[in-house]
């Protein structure tokens, strides 16, 4: 099948235990991979209530949406993907770094990788760590080769397995069919809002942001998650997690 009609990893591909949308576990995972202790993941309990949003440190550098894959979503994804070619970008000139997902049930890890490897968060990856080395090796490569490199980085798989096995709920098997999926929204080096999803054909530029607008700003939410949820017809089975912390 083509990438358009079947974007998921093929049978026999490496598999991860699905990652629970648990900010505490996610924070431990990114720290283990090499992200500074200054950054943490936070539950977003409301996307529209200013009082609830006030609990999250700013700026919010990335926003992860966890949602069920529905027929409505798949129809929109396929229609949008049919209008573009497979992304082949590589190198430091890219406004965002994006990995194709070739590991089964790894969308949580892909979301976290996209969150911490783009925008200002990238400057808070400590030198010599697993993530630092992965980024140095991945950046010059096109997406498919990046994906192959990720498959062959055992430190990432080990850290993911430790986090995924420690959730509040019983972890499903790595080969299970799981209908929950992660999408990441970040601000690229070009100042635009980008949607990053390893199941898609490439990174998706959603619109321009002002210099002072982060991922929880009204404009970013309107072009990103809120528009995304509007397409789903008000389906409330989703959760959101923000990457935030001190940039000093």
């Amino acid at each position: 099948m083509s990438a358009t009609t079947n974007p998921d990893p093929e049978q026999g591909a490496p598999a991860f235990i699905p990652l629970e949308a648990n900010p505490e576990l996610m924070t431990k995972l990114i720290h283990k991979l090499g992200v500074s202790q200054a950054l943490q993941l936070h539950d977003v309990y409301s996307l529209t209530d200013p009082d609830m949003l006030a609990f999250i440190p700013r700026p919010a550098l990335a926003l992860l949406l966890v949602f069920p894959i529905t027929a409505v979503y798949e129809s929109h994804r396929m229609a949008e993907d049919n209008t573009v070619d497979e992304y082949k970008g590589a190198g430091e000139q890219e406004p965002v770094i994006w990995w194709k997902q070739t590991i089964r049930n790894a969308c949580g890890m892909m979301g976290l990788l996209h969150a911490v490897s783009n925008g200002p968060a990238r400057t808070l990856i400590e030198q010599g760590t697993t993530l630092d080395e992965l980024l140095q090796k991945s950046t010059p490569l096109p997406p498919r080769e990046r994906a192959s490199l990720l498959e062959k980085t055992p430190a990432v798989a080990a850290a993911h397995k430790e986090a995924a096995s420690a959730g509040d709920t019983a972890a499903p098997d790595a080969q299970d069919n799981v209908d929950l999926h992660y999408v990441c929204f970040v601000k690229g080096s070009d100042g635009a809002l980008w949607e990053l999803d390893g199941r898609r054909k490439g990174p998706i530029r959603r619109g321009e942001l002002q210099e002072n607008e982060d991922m929880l700003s009204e404009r970013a939410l309107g072009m990103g998650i809120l528009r995304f949820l509007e397409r789903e017809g008000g389906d409330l089975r989703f959760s959101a997690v923000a990457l935030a912390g001190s940039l000093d």
Side-chain angles (χ1 to χ4, degrees):
M1 286 182 134
S2 72
T4 301
T5 56
N6 182 18
D8 297 314
E10 298 175 1
Q11 199 69 27
F16 281 1
I17 299 170
L19 185 66
E20 186 178 289
N22 179 320
E24 183 178 352
L25 287 181
M26 291 173 156
T27 297
K28 289 179 180 178
L29 176 53
I30 64 169
H31 290 168
K32 188 175 186 68
L33 291 173
V35 176
S36 165
Q37 300 280 331
L39 290 184
Q40 297 182 333
L41 281 304
H42 304 264
D43 273 319
V44 180
Y45 294 112
S46 173
L47 297 167
T48 55
D49 184 337
D51 292 335
M52 299 297 285
L53 288 170
F55 286 107
I56 302 170
R58 307 293 284 271
L61 306 181
L63 199 54
L64 292 167
L65 176 66
V66 189
F67 63 98
I69 295 177
T70 64
V72 172
Y73 170 75
E74 285 295 85
S75 175
H76 173 81
R77 178 193 60 75
M78 290 173 66
E80 192 170 44
D81 279 358
N82 276 330
T83 66
V84 296
D85 295 326
E86 194 82 21
Y87 181 72
K88 301 186 187 309
E92 294 286 351
Q93 75 279 4
E94 290 180 284
V96 289
I97 185 168
W98 176 81
W99 283 269
K100 186 78 176 173
Q101 183 183 337
T102 57
I103 302 172
R104 184 178 174 85
N105 288 334
C107 60
M109 173 59 83
M110 304 304 295
L112 287 176
L113 281 178
H114 287 140
V116 300
S117 301
N118 287 293
R122 184 164 181 166
T123 65
L124 294 175
I125 295 171
E126 296 172 348
Q127 290 188 356
T129 59
T130 297
L131 188 52
D132 179 47
E133 293 178 2
L134 176 66
L135 273 170
Q136 287 192 39
K137 293 175 182 177
S138 294
T139 300
L141 303 175
R144 294 280 180 178
E145 291 179 38
R146 286 177 186 165
S148 179
L149 177 64
L150 186 60
E151 288 183 20
K152 299 169 185 173
T153 306
V156 171
H160 184 279
K161 183 177 181 180
E162 181 181 333
S165 302
D168 291 335
T169 56
D173 186 85
Q175 295 294 342
D176 283 355
N177 289 322
V178 177
D179 69 348
L180 288 178
H181 189 57
Y182 286 71
V183 168
C184 179
F185 295 91
V186 300
K187 192 173 189 176
S189 61
D190 59 349
L193 175 70
W194 288 83
E195 181 180 325
L196 304 178
D197 178 353
R199 289 181 80 232
R200 303 300 295 265
K201 283 189 169 182
I204 305 167
R205 195 178 193 272
R206 291 301 186 195
E208 299 288 342
L209 292 174
Q210 300 299 317
E211 186 175 349
N212 63 340
E213 291 177 319
D214 68 356
M215 291 301 96
L216 290 177
S217 66
E218 184 176 351
R219 189 196 302 260
L221 290 172
M223 293 190 299
I225 282 187
L226 292 177
R227 180 177 292 179
F228 189 107
L229 296 175
E230 187 178 307
R231 290 199 307 264
E232 292 298 296
D235 192 327
L236 298 179
R237 295 173 297 158
F238 75 94
S239 57
V241 182
L243 176 71
S246 173
L247 297 179
D248 297 334

